[in-house]
Amino acid sequence: MYLNRATKERMVSLLILEVICHEFIQQESKFKEIFGPEGWKYFKTSKSFMKKALVELSKSLGEEEATKLHNLARQSQFVAVSHFAPDKNMPSTIGVDVHALYDMASLAIGNHCTDCTKKKFKQCEVFQTMQQAEVPAASNAKDKDCPYRQ
């Protein structure tokens, strides 16, 4: 089964959620106190159902794609950054709304990529910037053509 990048990222998010739940279970006494007995019971039930959902997802994807997702999750770094205060330890990271980022990308593509005729698009600064920012392609172009060309 083919999964596009956005779907893979969502699937990896489920794996992350499962790992976080596992961490909560490892610290049961702390979290049981926070949740209360009834809330903790619901939390554990939700974790069980999530685990079952992940098993079924793995079956529907097939072993090869499930392994790819697992490897992607293992090779990724996940950070939660407040939108109000960027992480001071990561000076290259700022809080930008994803819709604003895509709007800026759309404007840049509209200004720079309309009627573009560059053959060596991989050397183009706009292409490289969009790839580095992980902006989805504007079109489903072949490997030999720029995906941001308008």
Side-chain angles (χ1 to χ4, degrees):
M1 172 185 283
Y2 171 77
L3 300 174
N4 64 29
R5 181 186 183 112
T7 303
K8 284 181 183 177
E9 288 173 357
R10 289 182 190 106
M11 300 295 176
V12 169
S13 296
L14 286 172
L15 293 172
I16 294 166
L17 186 57
E18 203 269 329
V19 168
I20 292 169
C21 287
H22 180 74
E23 290 295 319
F24 275 41
I25 297 290
Q26 296 299 311
Q27 300 176 31
E28 181 174 349
S29 61
K30 246 187 232 181
F31 286 103
K32 197 172 189 179
E33 183 179 315
I34 294 169
F35 280 99
E38 194 69 12
W40 184 249
K41 181 177 84 173
Y42 291 139
F43 174 79
K44 286 178 61 177
T45 301
S46 68
K47 183 188 180 308
S48 296
F49 281 115
M50 183 175 50
K51 183 72 171 175
K52 289 178 183 184
L54 286 170
V55 167
E56 292 303 315
L57 175 65
S58 178
K59 287 179 189 176
S60 69
L61 291 177
E63 186 177 333
E64 184 179 335
E65 199 64 38
T67 301
K68 286 180 186 177
L69 283 175
H70 180 72
N71 289 337
L72 177 63
R74 281 193 6 231
Q75 296 169 0
S76 299
Q77 179 182 13
F78 304 96
V79 180
V81 179
S82 169
H83 291 287
F84 301 109
D87 186 350
K88 291 180 177 103
N89 296 325
M90 298 176 68
S92 64
T93 301
I94 60 168
V96 176
D97 179 67
V98 71
H99 298 294
L101 173 67
Y102 289 162
D103 288 345
M104 287 188 292
S106 178
L107 292 168
I109 290 168
N111 286 330
H112 294 279
C113 303
T114 303
D115 300 323
C116 176
T117 57
K118 292 181 182 176
K119 299 288 184 208
K120 296 181 179 181
F121 67 90
K122 290 187 179 180
Q123 295 173 358
C124 172
E125 188 176 9
V126 175
F127 172 83
Q128 291 174 357
T129 302
M130 296 299 165
Q131 291 290 299
Q132 187 177 17
E134 298 181 1
V135 173
S139 64
N140 291 329
K142 304 281 188 239
D143 289 338
K144 297 179 182 178
D145 193 22
C146 179
Y148 301 105
R149 189 182 319 275
Q150 299 287 305

